[in-house]
Amino acid sequence: MANVDDTQSQVKNGDSKDAEVKSSSGDLTPLEKKIIRQVEYYFGDANLDKDKFMNEEIKKNEGWILLTTLLTFNRLKAMSEDAKFITAALRKSTNDLLEIKEDDTAIRRSPSQPVPSAEIRKQDLQSRQLYVKGFPTELTLDDLIEYFEPYGAESVLLRKDIKKNFKGSAFVLFKTAELAKEFLTAEEIKYKDTPLIERLFKQDYFKKKQEEKLGGKIEDIRKKDEQKKKREQEEREELLARITRSSVLKVTGIPDETPIDKIKEFFGKYGDVAWVDFGKGDDHAKIRYATENEAKVAWDKALEEAKDKKVLFDEKELTGVVIEGEEEETHWKKFFESIQNRYKKNKPGHGGRGGKGGRGGFKRRNAGDGDGASKEKRSRND
């Protein structure tokens, strides 16, 4: 186990938050209180949340940990090395957190108080842990335990520098979220005559330090994010200004390998076809008409003229829908990007041999806008 016991200690039971560490007769000595606090800290939620050694030991023998193992922990060992004395003190606790073997050789957390799930434990600890700053640097852990006990603290962790000197601040876990909030929101709290200069939730402290570490980077990130959103909005508004709304009809059922001209001729009977996209292996074709809302008018006309309102193409029944909303915006965005990429590809100095886009033709069978290099015929000239 890491030597966390050198820098932190249980002030009250880590699980029965409202119970006091005392016997029915109130005859606990100061040393017995310390022993109960320390051992219940080892088995408490806060320590088990991060203590890899304790968690591994608990898994070995139905949760039982030998007292000889616990006596290798510096802080408990400094209090007493008498196993009988330690177990006798623990039996006086009224918190019901621990079970002790009859032969005094091992201790475990009571099965009636299982460790909460990781997420529940995390939320609980976050609501009860504070960062407190402003203490004289010559104070000891016992000094702070004594100071925080009247406020309902459960455990105290001293913050030390690289040379293990106390930095004047501590992380304090309170018995309840209400007690933590009460300490946090108090108008002024002093250590003797000196006001404590900072009180924060532990997670807020780390957030603050991260922001300080990053300095102006967070603001830069925020500005870049705002600029990105603004640019995307401008691009969307520009796109919406260019598109011909409700002009694209998506049709399913056209046999593969159908020539573009044949599709154009068929749908040209119902309106002015500006562009057709139907690639090999596609399960649908897209037919764009020249004016807004013309796709719906064209499909309604096709249904009206069809027998039993079944539009047939080479004896195959077709289904049609006018693309709208996000699908329509995505369609037009890809369309304009393909036109732009085709233009760049066909500029002198780009592409393959001869600067004409390489040795291959266009993979898709498009008819319409700007497809001058395609071997397929245009549906119309825009």
Side-chain angles (χ1 to χ4, degrees):
M1 174 180 174
N3 289 329
V4 294
D5 49 310
D6 289 334
T7 54
Q8 69 180 340
S9 175
Q10 189 79 358
V11 178
K12 298 291 182 184
N13 172 36
D15 302 275
S16 300
K17 300 182 182 65
D18 296 321
E20 293 183 359
V21 181
K22 61 182 181 180
S23 69
S24 57
S25 61
D27 58 357
L28 287 173
T29 67
L31 180 56
E32 288 174 326
K33 287 183 180 180
K34 287 185 178 182
I35 289 171
I36 292 172
R37 291 166 185 164
Q38 192 62 38
V39 177
E40 289 188 344
Y41 168 77
Y42 294 146
F43 289 89
D45 293 353
N47 187 54
L48 294 181
D49 185 56
K50 60 182 182 298
D51 194 321
K52 183 178 179 181
F53 178 84
M54 282 292 292
N55 281 285
E56 290 176 349
E57 290 295 309
I58 285 172
K59 293 176 183 177
K60 292 180 180 179
N61 187 24
E62 298 181 341
W64 293 105
I65 298 181
L66 293 174
L67 195 57
T68 53
T69 299
L70 294 175
L71 281 171
T72 64
F73 303 161
N74 294 338
R75 190 167 178 82
L76 179 61
K77 184 178 180 181
M79 294 176 186
S80 175
E81 296 185 60
D82 186 335
K84 294 289 185 182
F85 179 77
I86 291 172
T87 54
L90 294 175
R91 285 193 171 94
K92 294 181 181 180
S93 172
T94 59
N95 295 316
D96 299 323
L97 177 65
L98 303 177
E99 287 186 359
I100 305 166
K101 278 197 171 183
E102 291 184 3
D103 60 4
D104 295 331
T105 60
I107 301 169
R108 73 175 178 181
R109 180 165 171 150
S110 173
S112 66
Q113 295 202 40
V115 179
S117 68
E119 184 59 31
I120 293 175
R121 190 163 68 246
K122 177 182 177 182
Q123 293 175 2
D124 174 57
L125 292 176
Q126 285 183 344
S127 71
R128 299 191 287 125
Q129 287 181 309
L130 299 185
Y131 164 78
V132 185
K133 180 180 179 180
F135 298 102
T137 55
E138 65 271 14
L139 295 184
T140 66
L141 176 59
D142 287 334
D143 291 332
L144 263 68
I145 290 173
E146 182 180 353
Y147 171 77
F148 279 108
E149 187 168 8
Y151 293 105
E154 181 177 300
S155 65
V156 177
L157 172 64
L158 299 184
R159 301 189 65 251
K160 297 186 176 183
D161 60 24
I162 194 170
K163 295 182 179 180
K164 296 188 177 183
N165 296 317
F166 179 43
K167 297 169 65 174
S169 60
F171 291 125
V172 184
L173 180 65
F174 290 81
K175 293 191 297 180
T176 66
E178 290 74 21
L179 287 170
K181 187 175 181 181
E182 183 179 333
F183 188 90
L184 177 70
T185 58
E187 183 174 349
E188 184 180 64
I189 295 182
K190 297 181 178 181
Y191 179 80
K192 295 186 177 179
D193 295 328
T194 304
L196 299 179
I197 60 177
E198 195 167 15
R199 289 168 282 157
L200 295 170
F201 277 114
K202 184 177 179 180
Q203 64 268 30
D204 291 338
Y205 165 76
F206 283 124
K207 181 179 178 181
K208 175 187 173 185
K209 296 302 291 184
Q210 183 67 14
E211 290 175 352
E212 291 175 353
K213 183 178 180 180
L214 292 175
K217 289 184 179 180
I218 290 179
E219 181 64 18
D220 291 341
I221 292 171
R222 186 188 65 79
K223 287 181 178 179
K224 287 180 180 179
D225 187 53
E226 288 182 354
Q227 291 171 355
K228 180 182 177 182
K229 290 179 179 178
K230 182 179 179 182
R231 184 170 61 254
E232 289 174 348
Q233 180 61 26
E234 291 173 348
E235 289 174 354
R236 181 173 183 268
E237 291 174 356
E238 181 182 350
L239 174 66
L240 294 177
R242 295 178 66 189
I243 71 176
T244 307
R245 288 183 176 277
S246 302
S247 64
V248 181
L249 180 66
K250 183 166 70 172
V251 180
T252 304
I254 297 175
D256 199 11
E257 302 296 341
T258 301
I260 292 289
D261 283 348
K262 189 173 181 179
I263 299 173
K264 177 224 170 192
E265 181 182 359
F266 180 84
F267 285 96
K269 296 183 295 183
Y270 310 113
D272 186 6
V273 176
W275 173 79
V276 174
D277 182 9
F278 184 56
K280 185 176 181 179
D282 285 352
D283 62 355
H284 65 268
K286 289 182 179 177
I287 297 95
R288 178 164 71 82
Y289 286 90
T291 59
E292 286 192 0
N293 302 312
E294 191 175 355
K296 184 178 186 307
V297 174
W299 184 248
D300 288 346
K301 186 176 180 181
L303 289 172
E304 184 179 341
E305 295 181 5
K307 184 179 180 180
D308 298 328
K309 294 190 177 297
K310 292 183 178 180
V311 180
L312 300 179
F313 184 94
D314 285 352
E315 300 182 355
K316 300 287 187 179
E317 184 178 356
L318 304 181
T319 57
V321 61
V322 179
I323 65 172
E324 295 177 319
E326 185 177 343
E327 184 181 7
E328 182 180 40
E329 290 183 27
T330 300
H331 166 80
W332 281 101
K333 184 177 181 180
K334 289 182 178 179
F335 172 75
F336 290 131
E337 286 175 352
S338 69
I339 295 297
Q340 186 177 20
N341 291 337
R342 193 177 305 149
Y343 171 77
K344 290 179 179 178
K345 185 176 180 180
N346 290 331
K347 286 178 66 176
H350 292 269
R353 299 180 187 177
K356 295 296 183 180
R359 291 179 284 179
F362 288 93
K363 293 182 179 180
R364 299 191 62 82
R365 294 177 291 155
N366 296 329
D369 306 71
D371 197 9
S374 175
K375 294 181 180 179
E376 299 288 350
K377 295 182 179 179
R378 293 172 182 249
S379 294
R380 70 184 294 272
N381 294 319
D382 288 350

